[in-house]
Amino acid sequence: ETGVTQSPTHLIKTRGQQVTLRCSSQSGHNTVSWYQQALGQGPQFIFQYYREEENGRGNFPPRFSGLQFPNYSSELNVNALELDDSALYLCASSRAEGEAFFGQGTRLTVV
Amino acid sequence: AQSVTQLDSHVSVSEGTPVLLRCNYSSSYSPSLFWYVQHPNKGLQLLLKYTSAATLVKGINGFEAEFKKSETSFHLTKPSAHMSDAAEYFCVVRGQAGTALIFGKGTTLSVSS
């Protein structure tokens, strides 16, 4: 088990709602990245935060946003939820470009 | 742009037989390549990584991979499969900006007794 914890583990939201997912990074790690894994697919990069600043973003619309806090924990916020946002959301922490350690993910279902 | 292609969506082997999971990469420069494993209801675990040192990389649980630049391949092998190896395997390349990990679509490994 890694030291990366995500909450909640599962949740169900209605289309159009907003959701916040949380991630506590492993001790000593200053970089957090988020990935979306649709069923049967590989994870896709959403964005990365380094020392509280976004320093990389994948091909996701602005309604996907995030924060990193001084203790390097992070949030992923998704506004105006769509059915296609249903997926496993994975958080990974690392020291800059070092090995990424993944949490177990949050399973989001949008109905 | 960097990308990886996993050539098999599903591989089935018998316990005790060799495992070969195939991956080709595309990169405009010397890539950083990884193999991750995902067991059901668990997070992703790093098996091994290549970062331009030795071309034969040894990982955890008896897995290894060989970087072949001439073939743009990074295939994952294991001499003898165990039931506990049944999982989803992802070949991954680090993006050019050094931030994103770019995942293949995955190969499901099934191991029968």
Side-chain angles (χ1 to χ4, degrees):
Chain A
E1 295 292 330
T2 72
V4 182
T5 57
Q6 293 186 241
S7 62
T9 55
H10 296 81
L11 76 166
I12 300 173
K13 290 287 189 177
T14 302
R15 188 172 49 183
Q17 285 187 316
Q18 179 266 343
V19 68
T20 297
L21 311 182
R22 295 179 174 82
C23 173
S24 294
S25 59
Q26 188 160 313
S27 178
H29 288 183
N30 55 16
T31 301
V32 173
S33 51
W34 286 90
Y35 291 80
Q36 180 195 67
Q37 185 178 15
L39 201 60
Q41 300 294 316
Q44 284 195 297
F45 176 69
I46 303 175
F47 46 58
Q48 178 173 291
Y49 280 82
Y50 172 69
R51 293 187 175 181
E52 303 178 58
E53 296 287 333
E54 183 182 299
N55 72 336
R57 189 177 183 92
N59 189 25
F60 280 82
R63 59 189 186 83
F64 285 78
S65 63
L67 283 172
Q68 188 180 30
F69 300 100
N71 66 355
Y72 301 131
S73 65
S74 177
E75 287 183 354
L76 164 65
N77 299 291
V78 186
N79 294 323
L81 283 166
E82 302 177 359
L83 297 179
D84 285 348
D85 296 333
S86 295
L88 180 68
Y89 288 85
L90 295 163
C91 167
S93 75
S94 65
R95 290 189 185 92
E97 291 185 25
E99 177 182 342
F101 291 84
F102 284 83
Q104 292 190 312
T106 295
R107 174 75 62 186
L108 171 65
T109 302
V110 182
V111 297
Chain B
Q2 285 64 246
S3 66
V4 288
T5 302
Q6 293 184 243
L7 301 176
D8 307 290
S9 58
H10 198 163
V11 170
S12 296
V13 300
S14 299
E15 192 173 24
T17 65
V19 174
L20 170 63
L21 305 184
R22 299 182 296 163
C23 173
N24 287 348
Y25 70 90
S26 174
S27 178
S28 56
Y29 62 98
S30 183
S32 293
L33 292 161
F34 311 81
W35 276 97
Y36 278 84
V37 62
Q38 187 175 37
H39 287 93
N41 301 316
K42 291 195 174 182
L44 290 157
Q45 182 183 19
L46 180 67
L47 280 177
L48 49 82
K49 61 182 177 182
Y50 167 78
T51 53
S52 75
T55 56
L56 182 62
V57 182
K58 294 188 183 298
I60 62 171
N61 300 334
F63 285 95
E64 63 181 38
E66 186 172 7
F67 174 75
K68 291 188 176 180
K69 186 175 180 179
S70 60
E71 299 176 11
T72 62
S73 68
F74 189 57
H75 300 335
L76 181 70
T77 60
K78 183 173 181 178
S80 176
H82 191 272
M83 295 293 287
S84 61
D85 294 328
E88 190 78 13
Y89 291 79
F90 292 99
C91 182
V92 182
V93 63
R94 187 177 291 283
Q96 190 165 2
T99 54
L101 294 177
I102 300 167
F103 286 74
K105 292 187 175 182
T107 298
T108 303
L109 176 64
S110 299
V111 182
S112 58
S113 56

